[in-house]
Amino acid sequence: MKYYSGVDLGGTNTKIGLCNEEGKILHSSSIKTDSIHGVEDTLERIWLEIQKQLTEEKLTKEDLSGIGIGIPGPVKNQSIVGFFANFPWEKNMNLKEKMETLTGIRTLVDNDVNVIAQGEAIFGAAKGHKSSITVALGTGIGGGIFVDGRLISGMTGAGGEIGHMKLVPDGKLCGCGQKGCFEAYASATGMIREALSRLYVNKLNALYEKFQGNYETLEAKDIFEAAAAGDVFSQEIVDYEAEYLAMGIGNLLNIINPEVVVLGGGIALAKEQILEPMKQKIRKYALEITLENLEIKTGVLGNEAGILGAAALFMLS
Amino acid sequence: MKYYSGVDLGGTNTKIGLCNEEGKILHSSSIKTDSIHGVEDTLERIWLEIQKQLTEEKLTKEDLSGIGIGIPGPVKNQSIVGFFANFPWEKNMNLKEKMETLTGIRTLVDNDVNVIAQGEAIFGAAKGHKSSITVALGTGIGGGIFVDGRLISGMTGAGGEIGHMKLVPDGKLCGCGQKGCFEAYASATGMIREALSRLYVNKLNALYEKFQGNYETLEAKDIFEAAAAGDVFSQEIVDYEAEYLAMGIGNLLNIINPEVVVLGGGIALAKEQILEPMKQKIRKYALEITLENLEIKTGVLGNEAGILGAAALFMLS
């Protein structure tokens, strides 16, 4: 049996898990990332934690076949991090090399959403399939494209940046500074922005009743709840969301024609409300041939996706 | 030295070329496809022509390492043709198997635009690069996506159907029956449709002067020529074309992040008029990181792309 460490390097916390080649997590724990003390400090503490886990599982360094690391930012050649989103660490850093020098263990690094896509492809919802696209629908929209056993990471690590595919010429301003991005329409943020815009001119609805004009804490969840309870205003926002989701995913089907689409993140939790209407609407956007035998599923790895995916970087499907 | 036959199976004519592994065409010729007599008849005549070429080059069947075939339609696993566009041949035909049974030579089949993409990646404008997207801008828009030495052909052969990526929600009707497709805006057809629509309400322009309201023979070339001669009406149509081209290609950059984009087809001939403005406009649509070191080039294989690409199906980059 081979063993791997999966590391999910987050802005605040870093999750570390010791996995076997079958995708079983033997041991997992979390440490503070504390990126402010510099990359060397964080990597040393990660390595200490990995060694602790090995000892507790009665394994040694020699039993460890690889360390996989998922990070928030673009990664080139599973080695060089273009930049760390929200970390005060240098640009174009060869994180693979740093970790290998420190540990003597083969290391692979990839973008956090790509890592989730790899995890779903190897151990999760797309297991056993040759190609899949994992779409993370949260505050933003991220994606990971898996074809013939490999992630499409791109020349500069921006492969799968599907949230910035433009769906509307000169459309809504996106957080990235460009306009009309998929993410500006179909993320949780996009849904809230659309609700706020409509609420400005409509007060005869359940959301107004609930928040009384103070929308600072309004979340996508509130909209789904109001829609489920019969509020037409909220139902129309969910419908708007499903339409753009269908358009964005339909585009990906025409370009990649994968076997499986895996949907994750907060929005995907609203299965019946958003995924079923989206599946109907996608026929407007995807070529019929791309829908033959296509499976659209929700992710199954949940909170463990980051750890399992990082470990899965060493495995082919 | 290894030798391959490249076959470009077209609606009217089929081009056949004998190539060596360095991408040199030793011999090429063309026969009528005459698809009406059935697939067996056409394949037999292709095989006769291949054998004739071998004899003329003093080679034998044993010298031939493979036969590559490009066809107009989606192809699954480089074997099964979903359907032949404009051919009265059965659906879901295993053309690879048919040809191998007939010839005893290993055969690979792929979509004609994918074949061109493979040719440009192995022998042409993207030679030596790990990833490239070839965009064929003609009557329609086709694409071939080449990553890590392989085409993304897709589960049902629809990989690279970039012409049907939607750029405008409920936009212009496309020939495919859906709305808002890249092809409905940025193909030669899209450009002519936009011109016709504008000509309906504007007669103070060089195109009206030239055609006097009878636009049946209007081609994209006429619009480029009038624009180059200073006609503002035509310049605005070219600008419109460049904008959608930038949007479509920008989307592909965000999704695939390739090293090279290769542009082919009639529209790409208008290099200075369309490609230079497009390169400026693409900054509105593509994430900055995808433009670092990106090369945007025109195809170099021209009429030989179909033959060389079909032969190149046997080669990795």
Side-chain angles (χ1 to χ4, degrees):
Chain A
M1 183 70 79
K2 286 186 173 179
Y3 299 91
Y4 302 90
S5 279
V7 179
D8 183 358
L9 194 66
T12 307
N13 296 304
T14 292
K15 290 185 222 158
I16 300 162
L18 181 63
C19 319
N20 68 22
E21 63 189 312
E22 291 166 350
K24 191 179 165 211
I25 299 182
L26 307 174
H27 206 107
S28 77
S29 51
S30 178
I31 63 169
K32 289 286 164 203
T33 303
D34 281 343
S35 59
I36 193 77
H37 302 310
V39 60
E40 273 76 15
D41 177 80
T42 302
L43 294 186
E44 277 165 22
R45 287 184 295 107
I46 291 171
W47 178 224
L48 279 177
E49 192 67 23
I50 290 173
Q51 289 172 299
K52 212 168 90 184
Q53 292 185 355
L54 285 168
T55 307
E56 287 176 10
E57 293 299 322
K58 300 190 173 40
L59 295 169
T60 67
K61 188 180 151 178
E62 284 63 40
D63 294 309
L64 196 63
S65 296
I67 300 172
I69 307 180
I71 66 103
V75 183
K76 202 171 146 177
N77 294 330
Q78 299 196 321
S79 316
I80 297 158
V81 181
F83 56 84
F84 291 85
N86 310 321
F87 285 47
W89 296 352
E90 62 183 275
K91 285 190 173 190
N92 297 312
M93 180 199 290
N94 193 328
L95 193 68
K96 170 193 167 78
E97 199 177 82
K98 270 196 203 303
M99 195 64 176
E100 288 183 342
T101 304
L102 174 67
T103 64
I105 308 286
R106 188 173 167 230
T107 300
L108 292 175
V109 185
D110 217 319
N111 167 269
D112 50 6
V113 184
N114 277 352
V115 158
I116 294 172
Q118 179 89 10
E120 293 289 354
I122 301 290
F123 298 124
K127 186 177 172 178
H129 288 277
K130 277 178 68 180
S131 56
S132 53
I133 299 180
T134 296
V135 181
L137 297 164
T139 311
I141 296 184
I145 303 170
F146 184 88
V147 177
D148 289 335
R150 277 196 277 194
L151 286 169
I152 297 186
S153 290
M155 166 175 63
T156 49
E161 281 290 352
I162 61 170
H164 302 286
M165 160 174 55
K166 290 359 176 222
L167 298 186
V168 181
D170 286 312
K172 283 190 192 178
L173 185 66
C174 180
C176 74
Q178 296 182 336
K179 287 177 182 171
C181 296
F182 184 24
E183 174 171 309
Y185 292 85
S187 65
T189 310
M191 197 171 170
I192 294 165
R193 289 170 70 185
E194 183 63 21
L196 292 176
S197 166
R198 296 183 183 204
L199 281 162
Y200 196 75
V201 294
N202 182 320
K203 313 227 178 297
L204 295 170
N205 60 73
L207 293 179
Y208 181 81
E209 276 169 40
K210 182 170 179 185
F211 290 92
Q212 295 291 325
N214 183 2
Y215 302 116
E216 269 174 41
T217 61
L218 176 69
E219 291 181 60
K221 188 163 61 77
D222 299 306
I223 305 168
F224 283 119
E225 279 173 11
D231 181 47
V232 173
F233 177 87
S234 299
Q235 286 168 350
E236 285 173 359
I237 297 168
V238 172
D239 186 73
Y240 173 95
E241 168 80 15
E243 194 74 45
Y244 282 101
L245 201 53
M247 185 175 176
I249 293 174
N251 279 355
L252 296 173
L253 296 183
N254 294 338
I255 296 166
I256 308 291
N257 185 204
E259 296 182 7
V260 186
V261 173
V262 181
L263 299 169
I267 295 285
L269 296 176
K271 284 193 198 185
E272 285 73 22
Q273 280 183 282
I274 194 97
L275 297 192
E276 291 309 319
M278 189 273 281
K279 285 184 193 173
Q280 295 307 313
K281 289 171 187 289
I282 208 163
R283 301 185 175 279
K284 266 177 71 178
Y285 304 105
L287 294 176
E288 202 181 328
I289 191 172
T290 67
L291 299 171
E292 283 172 20
N293 306 317
L294 174 72
E295 293 181 42
I296 300 181
K297 303 168 122 181
T298 45
V300 297
L301 299 182
N303 287 330
E304 295 181 338
I307 287 175
L308 283 173
L313 292 176
F314 293 90
M315 298 169 210
L316 294 176
S317 64
Chain B
M1 183 70 78
K2 287 185 173 180
Y3 298 93
Y4 302 91
S5 279
V7 179
D8 183 359
L9 194 67
T12 308
N13 296 305
T14 292
K15 291 184 223 159
I16 301 162
L18 181 63
C19 317
N20 67 21
E21 63 189 312
E22 290 166 352
K24 192 179 165 210
I25 298 182
L26 307 174
H27 206 106
S28 76
S29 51
S30 179
I31 63 169
K32 289 284 164 203
T33 303
D34 282 343
S35 59
I36 193 77
H37 302 309
V39 59
E40 273 77 14
D41 177 79
T42 301
L43 293 186
E44 277 164 22
R45 287 184 295 106
I46 291 170
W47 178 224
L48 280 177
E49 193 66 24
I50 289 172
Q51 290 172 299
K52 213 168 87 184
Q53 292 185 354
L54 285 168
T55 307
E56 287 176 11
E57 293 299 322
K58 299 190 172 40
L59 295 168
T60 67
K61 187 180 152 179
E62 283 64 39
D63 294 309
L64 196 62
S65 298
I67 299 172
I69 306 180
I71 67 104
V75 183
K76 202 171 144 176
N77 294 330
Q78 299 196 321
S79 316
I80 296 157
V81 181
F83 56 85
F84 291 86
N86 311 321
F87 285 47
W89 296 352
E90 62 182 276
K91 285 189 173 190
N92 296 314
M93 180 199 290
N94 193 329
L95 194 68
K96 169 193 167 79
E97 198 178 81
K98 271 196 200 307
M99 195 65 175
E100 288 183 342
T101 305
L102 174 67
T103 65
I105 309 285
R106 186 173 169 230
T107 300
L108 292 176
V109 186
D110 216 318
N111 167 269
D112 50 6
V113 184
N114 277 352
V115 158
I116 293 172
Q118 179 90 9
E120 293 289 355
I122 301 289
F123 298 124
K127 185 176 171 178
H129 288 277
K130 278 178 68 179
S131 56
S132 53
I133 300 179
T134 297
V135 181
L137 297 164
T139 311
I141 295 183
I145 302 170
F146 184 88
V147 176
D148 289 335
R150 279 196 275 195
L151 286 169
I152 297 185
S153 291
M155 167 175 62
T156 50
E161 281 289 353
I162 62 169
H164 302 287
M165 159 174 56
K166 297 342 178 234
L167 298 186
V168 181
D170 286 312
K172 283 191 192 177
L173 185 66
C174 180
C176 74
Q178 296 182 335
K179 287 179 181 169
C181 295
F182 185 23
E183 174 171 310
Y185 292 84
S187 66
T189 311
M191 199 171 168
I192 294 165
R193 290 169 71 185
E194 183 63 21
L196 292 176
S197 165
R198 295 183 184 205
L199 281 161
Y200 196 75
V201 294
N202 182 321
K203 313 228 178 294
L204 295 170
N205 62 71
L207 294 178
Y208 182 81
E209 275 169 40
K210 182 170 181 183
F211 290 92
Q212 294 291 324
N214 183 2
Y215 302 116
E216 269 175 40
T217 61
L218 176 69
E219 291 181 60
K221 189 164 61 77
D222 299 305
I223 304 168
F224 283 119
E225 279 173 11
D231 180 49
V232 173
F233 176 88
S234 298
Q235 286 168 350
E236 285 174 358
I237 297 168
V238 172
D239 185 72
Y240 173 95
E241 168 79 16
E243 194 74 46
Y244 282 101
L245 200 52
M247 186 176 175
I249 292 175
N251 278 355
L252 296 173
L253 296 183
N254 294 338
I255 297 166
I256 307 293
N257 185 205
E259 296 182 7
V260 186
V261 172
V262 181
L263 299 168
I267 294 285
L269 296 177
K271 282 193 200 186
E272 285 73 23
Q273 280 183 282
I274 193 97
L275 297 193
E276 291 309 320
M278 188 272 281
K279 285 184 193 174
Q280 294 308 314
K281 289 172 187 289
I282 208 164
R283 301 184 175 281
K284 266 177 72 179
Y285 303 105
L287 295 176
E288 201 180 328
I289 192 172
T290 68
L291 298 171
E292 282 172 20
N293 306 316
L294 173 72
E295 293 181 42
I296 300 180
K297 302 168 122 182
T298 45
V300 297
L301 299 181
N303 287 331
E304 295 182 338
I307 287 175
L308 284 173
L313 291 177
F314 293 92
M315 297 169 209
L316 294 177
S317 63

